[in-house]
Amino acid sequence: MKPWTSLLLAVLLAVASAFVARAEPFEVAVGWTKPPYVIAADDTGFEIELITEILTRMGYKDVYILYVPYGRSVKMIQDGSVDMGLTLTTTHGIPEEMLSDAYVAYQNAVISLASASREIRALPEISHYSVAAFQNAHKVLGDIYRTAVHNAELYIELPEQRRQVEMLLMGSIDLAIMDRFIFMHLSEDITGIDQTDKVDIFQLFPTNYYQAGFKEPKILKRFNVELSRAHDDGLYRRLAEKYKLEEMATLVERHRVSH
């Protein structure tokens, strides 16, 4: 076989291999429903639509979203059973070199009914109330929080965040601990009206910036390029506006500039 023929054959095989790899399902692990970020019922929500669009731009036509319990996506990335995991940081035990640039921010808060006229100035004060938090909140919100809720009148953690909102609106609990945008989305869905003026929101936790974890470093690098492009061409902001997450988008954009 002539040298140039061998070279052409090698190039064709490489292109064919890349095509086959790209044609295979690209599997993404993500935690259960937490609207407006993740809505499992129809594969929508800010995170899902952003990630799906970026992967489409990267050439992946068959993206499979796998919804798993909290923490499961960490193990799936670590053992290489999925291509990508969402809403991760190094605190989950994922090495920095396996994580993308930050693509979303969560703002956990202490939320109380405005009619109760409570003033929560510091985390230890929540020990005087009945509290409902998201699942595993005691593991991720720090030692001060953990001590406070250990001494609370009542403390429960719920896997279904809609139930937290219902309990607060009904007065079954004094405080809900959750991302404030998740609360606003679910409370409006439950009542049919914006609940902004009906609650007091106490920002006692730092903003958490989350990254995506990848099995393959080369895919991670390409993802970062397309994520940057999504900011520059307006896709990121358009999706944020669709889900009333403009404040979140601003936080991520500032974080992006500072890093």
Side-chain angles (χ1 to χ4, degrees):
M1 186 180 292
K2 295 180 180 180
W4 66 267
T5 306
S6 298
L7 178 60
L8 177 60
L9 180 59
V11 171
L12 290 174
L13 287 173
V15 171
S17 297
F19 177 78
V20 171
R22 195 79 60 90
E24 293 177 355
F26 189 92
E27 296 184 321
V28 182
V30 62
W32 286 333
T33 289
K34 43 183 183 293
Y37 301 96
V38 175
I39 303 173
D42 53 4
D43 288 340
T44 59
F46 176 80
E47 288 187 62
I48 300 301
E49 292 182 41
L50 174 67
I51 297 306
T52 301
E53 176 59 30
I54 288 177
L55 291 173
T56 297
R57 291 180 173 188
M58 291 169 61
Y60 295 99
K61 304 302 181 185
D62 188 8
V63 177
Y64 178 66
I65 308 296
L66 180 63
Y67 298 95
V68 298
Y70 176 86
R72 175 63 177 158
S73 56
V74 176
K75 187 176 186 304
M76 296 178 84
I77 282 293
Q78 290 172 333
D79 64 21
S81 59
V82 293
D83 300 292
M84 181 182 188
L86 301 189
T87 329
L88 301 171
T89 69
T90 54
T91 61
H92 294 101
I94 305 295
E96 186 65 45
E97 61 268 22
M98 293 179 65
L99 294 169
S100 72
D101 295 335
Y103 74 92
V104 71
Y106 280 60
Q107 287 188 290
N108 289 311
V110 179
I111 304 173
S112 174
L113 293 177
S115 59
S117 300
R118 299 186 181 97
E119 187 65 36
I120 313 296
R121 297 181 179 84
L123 283 178
E125 296 176 20
I126 67 178
S127 63
H128 304 300
Y129 302 99
S130 56
V131 182
F134 58 89
Q135 191 173 35
N136 290 307
H138 70 287
K139 294 182 179 180
V140 300
L141 294 181
D143 293 338
I144 296 176
Y145 174 82
R146 191 158 39 249
T147 299
V149 298
H150 178 75
N151 297 318
E153 292 182 5
L154 169 70
Y155 181 69
I156 55 174
E157 292 183 358
L158 301 168
E160 176 52 67
Q161 293 196 280
R162 186 182 185 90
R163 184 57 182 152
Q164 283 180 259
V165 178
E166 291 171 340
M167 292 179 72
L168 182 68
L169 295 178
M170 290 187 300
S172 301
I173 55 168
D174 298 322
L175 307 174
I177 310 296
M178 62 194 305
D179 174 84
R180 66 190 185 96
F181 295 115
I182 294 177
F183 176 85
M184 297 313 300
H185 181 95
L186 288 174
S187 62
E188 184 171 349
D189 184 59
I190 291 168
T191 65
I193 58 174
D194 188 309
Q195 295 294 304
T196 303
D197 296 332
K198 305 293 185 182
V199 295
D200 290 323
I201 298 177
F202 305 101
Q203 299 278 174
L204 302 182
F205 303 98
T207 299
N208 293 313
Y209 296 91
Y210 287 101
Q211 302 153 277
F214 288 86
K215 180 171 65 175
E216 295 290 340
K218 62 183 180 180
I219 299 177
L220 185 159
K221 291 178 181 177
R222 290 176 49 230
F223 175 85
N224 280 341
V225 170
E226 289 298 336
L227 175 60
S228 179
R229 180 183 161 208
H231 281 285
D232 295 340
D233 67 16
L235 170 66
Y236 194 95
R237 179 61 65 166
R238 288 194 299 275
L239 286 175
E241 291 172 353
K242 176 180 178 179
Y243 287 102
K244 299 181 180 179
L245 289 169
E246 294 93 336
E247 290 182 53
M248 185 280 297
T250 298
L251 288 171
V252 172
E253 287 164 356
R254 289 174 180 170
H255 182 77
R256 178 183 174 221
V257 171
S258 65
H259 288 72

